[in-house]
Amino acid sequence: MLYLYFLLAIPFFSEAQTVNFENYVVTQFGLEEGLPQSSVNDIIQTKDGYLWLATFGGIVRFDGNSFTIFNKSNTRQLYSERILELYEDQRGYIWLFPEGDEGIIQRFKEGEAETFRFPGTGETRVEINEDKRGVLWVSAREKIFRLVGDSFIESKEINNTNLADKALKDTSGVWFAYDFKLLKTLGDSVVKIQESSGVHNERYIEVQEFPENSGNLFIGTVKAGLIHLTNGKRKVLNAANGLIDDQFIRFKKFDDERLIINLPGNISVWNGKDFDVLNPIPDQPDIRYRSILEDNEGNYWFGTDGDGLFKLSPTPITMIDGEQGLKNDKMLSITKLKDGRALFSTNCGGIFEWDGTSARRSTVHNFMDSDCNWSVFQDSRGRIWIGSLGVVYGSALNEPMYTFENELALGGVVPVFGIAEHSNGTIWILTEDGLYEYDGSHFNHYTTEEGLYANDTRALVEDREGTFWVGTRAGLNRIKAGKIEKVELNAKETDSKQPPVRAIYEDGDGYIWIGTYGNGLFRLDGSEVLNITKEDGLFDDIISHIVEDEGGYFWMGSNRGISNVKRSDLNDFLDGEIDHIQSNSYGAADGMNSAETNGGFQPSSFTDSLGRIYFPTVAGVAVVNPGLVRKNEVSPRIYIEKLNTDEGPVELSSGISLSYNTPYLEILYTAISFSEPEKVEFRYKMEGLNDDWIEVGNRREALYSKIPPGDYTFRVIAGNSDGVWNMEGASLNIVVTPPFWQTTWFYTLMGLLVAGAGGLVYYLRIEQLKRQNARQKRFTEQLIESEEQERKRIASELHDSLGQQILVIKNRAELARKFVEQPAELDEQLNEIMQSALISIADVRSISHGLRPVHLEKFGLTEALHNLCSQVQDSSSIEWSYHVDDIDEVIPKEKEINFYRVIQEGVNNIFKHAQATEASVIIRRADPGLKAMIWDNGIGFDPHDKLNAGGLGLSGMNERVETLGGTLMVNSGEMEGTTITIVISVKEWVVS
């Protein structure tokens, strides 16, 4: 998008009013902005607010933000994409006039086009008009047709003098012209008013009565200019007497007040006597204009032949820059002189004098060398003061300037950022090294030692009581009766964190307003300090200038542009009467070369005698004329344009039905606003899902995911750039249908099934309990049998091993008594007794370990399993591998033996039955619990064979796992090896 910044000074005359294109900013739209083609042949604004463009690439709808194209790819019924003209009737249909000589027009609405043909011979130009009854009339093939229903019926022309007189007096009919005839409708008839003769170039092609019902007729000819009929007089307007061309294209009327004609490449406007060529962009004389429109917000639109679309928007801002004579446009300090002129100091580009029309390098440079000047000021005595590296002053710009040399404490090498005058006549100088006061004979120097927040001083204002307010890089100071005081703007912060102060202003009520660099705006009333920021509606938290206009608006400059806000709104907000303020902002789109204003130098702005406010920017001086500010009172019309789901676009209707499993819903909406579409703000909500408005700024889409079943209403509202809101907005009803199991009929059916199946559930539950009891009984019997077998094993081991060893010890002791007198023999018997005792101890340990592993008791489950696997690995010909995570405290202490026995039983089964060459045990933690796998590559077995399951101890293993709340799965087959998987899910409280 191209913005053009210059003053457009071609007046737009008419009998009723004059439009002057001075203070208009030009915006160009082309292919990059979304136009399908660079020629815009016609522009209309329809009743729904949209702009429609006729191009050689189809028709285009524009909402101010984006272009929507209708061509043959998405509008199959479109006869041709090369459209020359558009017309909207009272029913909202848009009539399209395609290029060509086929005598065809099309009626278009809601994306569909219907074709109407006018076959025959004769003039192929088609004209359409609508009488005050709403009846559509068309001239084609030198005939007149009337729309009846959905068909055009030919109306034969009537040649009757009495009817002609009656038609002339009738104000509801419409005019037509073709060949050399003038005709007018009368009711459902067509009456010939006049007929003449001439050569082909003088043939009539269109007629316009202007003003309406005045009897003044303008007749466009093939190539003989215009004929003006008024009060019975006939005047020819052509290239020989004022028209730029003899070839006529068409008429346009603006609000029945301005008559426009299109000639090849240009637009001319009737001024009451003749036609003036309209040249809206004088800097580009080669542009060929094809169409013009004024929208309902006061913007002008121009369609061109190959240069796209232009918008001319009124703006209160003009620029003073290189075109007016500035050689350096980086402005610093600016000040108004007593003679009406102004001084502009630039960033090392010298000082310029402004006389209201042009800028020139100041004559002051004849008396000073420095081009780097950061402050220019004229005191009450008319003296000129200039701050650079030091201060110079003089009686006038064209007279010698003086320095203070050794008298000035700052030594002539300190940057001077501002100069001001106290009401008592003393001069105050703001520098990087503190604040200086000059009383005419000597200087007083104030720094942080005297109480300033910082030596870098940037703003200085005297209030009505004679108090000086000083803005520094690190806070605000007040100088009263020669005493410097610190003023806390942020009471919660320390001195080192007070905000930098750029601007100070005292209003008519005595409030002191402080503009800061990053902390917004402050209001001081005695000891009360209140703050406003962007969150409250302020345009920017950086404020470098504060100027009040005659209407009570604050104009503030910042790094992002110039903004204005009503002072009374600021006070109402700070006093709690409103909860938000409305700011209006101006920047590049409003005619500024750069939106950034330059602050931190004083004086930094002024108001001239006409009320215009001057701001220094990084690209010239911005001049604001508050009198040209117009509030856009047109609330934006809002439309929901598209609805998309995962399955594609959904046709918009009064009610939308979506499935419960629709993963997402995208709603695209828009608001029509042409003045500043980028500043339109939206709010939306989905009633039934979230009844609170969601602020989305300028975003024009809403996205929802997995909306639960229910009835909803999507609503969207919008406000234009001036805060005028359309609270009615647009809405869309959406129904998300539930799955069948959430429907009323399903709930009823389920209720009946539940009621009818109660007995069955009771029976099944009893049977389940019986099975559980039987299984528990079997487990108890197996446990008793296992305990009996264990007792027998222990008894056998005690008898066969420990008993025999104790018997040996007894016999050896008796023999030892016989050898009391024989020490050698006695020592031999005692050694035998000791060996038998050691064997007995080992047997006891083996038996006790079989009852409960000692490692489990002493070192925990993890170490016990490590020890088990290590013993197996060291004592077996099978190639073993194992991995055991740290699983201590995962299983309750009293149940760890059950898990140990399961692993032990699985390992023993491999030794006894698997005939394996490889085996592994893997035990890992799994959140929240653990998982174990015992594998071998042995002969396998059928796990469904109950005999195998009992013989291998699988039922016992399964019962033990169930006591741990886990599951045991066996995967095996003959000659396929065996995998036992154990999963134990432990409750979170156990893990923690």
Side-chain angles (χ1 to χ4, degrees), residues 712-763:
Y712 305 96
T713 300
F714 176 80
R715 298 189 186 278
V716 56
I717 58 177
N720 66 18
S721 57
D722 286 320
V724 178
W725 281 80
N726 179 345
M727 298 304 295
E728 181 180 353
S731 62
L732 184 66
N733 295 324
I734 299 172
V735 176
V736 180
T737 58
F740 72 89
W741 60 84
Q742 292 183 3
T743 58
T744 302
W745 67 264
F746 184 80
Y747 289 145
T748 303
L749 179 61
M750 288 299 100
L752 294 174
L753 289 176
V754 169
L760 178 61
V761 171
Y762 177 76
Y763 170 77

Side-chain angles (χ1 to χ4, degrees), residues 364-370 373 377 379 381-408 410 412 416 419 427 429 438 440 443:
V364 74
H365 287 290
N366 295 330
F367 308 101
M368 56 179 289
D369 297 329
S370 176
N373 306 288
F377 176 73
D379 65 19
R381 295 165 56 185
R383 294 178 298 180
I384 304 297
W385 297 77
I386 298 173
S388 57
L389 290 175
V391 176
V392 297
Y393 73 97
S395 299
L397 294 172
N398 58 356
E399 295 183 10
M401 305 299 288
Y402 302 96
T403 63
F404 289 97
E405 298 181 355
N406 295 333
E407 295 182 33
L408 185 57
L410 47 82
V416 174
I419 303 172
I427 301 298
I429 302 170
Y438 178 62
F443 285 88

Side-chain angles (χ1 to χ4, degrees), residues 283-302:
D283 276 17
Q284 299 187 38
D286 294 333
I287 296 177
R288 294 175 59 83
Y289 299 99
R290 301 182 72 109
S291 54
I292 181 175
L293 173 80
E294 182 184 10
D295 66 30
N296 61 349
E297 299 174 22
N299 304 292
Y300 289 93
W301 300 84
F302 291 88

Side-chain angles (χ1 to χ4, degrees), residues 868-884:
L868 172 64
C869 294
S870 178
Q871 288 182 356
V872 168
Q873 191 178 50
D874 294 341
S875 62
S876 171
S877 61
I878 299 174
E879 185 175 340
W880 280 90
S881 63
Y882 70 91
H883 175 87
V884 181

Side-chain angles (χ1 to χ4, degrees), residues 235 257 423 461 472 477 487 502 539 636 736 800 827 897 944:
K235 180 181 179 181
E257 295 180 347
S423 56
V461 166
T472 77
N477 287 99
V487 180
R502 281 292 189 92
F539 171 64
V736 180
D800 295 341
D827 184 60
I897 186 62
H944 302 293

Side-chain angles (χ1 to χ4, degrees), residues 667-698:
I667 304 173
L668 304 180
Y669 51 83
T670 190
I672 299 176
S673 183
F674 300 110
S675 295
E676 293 179 291
E678 71 281 358
K679 296 180 183 179
V680 172
E681 294 187 352
F682 293 90
R683 301 171 187 162
Y684 67 72
K685 63 181 176 179
M686 183 73 80
E687 292 179 353
L689 183 67
N690 186 344
D691 292 340
D692 294 329
W693 290 107
I694 300 173
E695 305 263 0
V696 293
N698 192 243

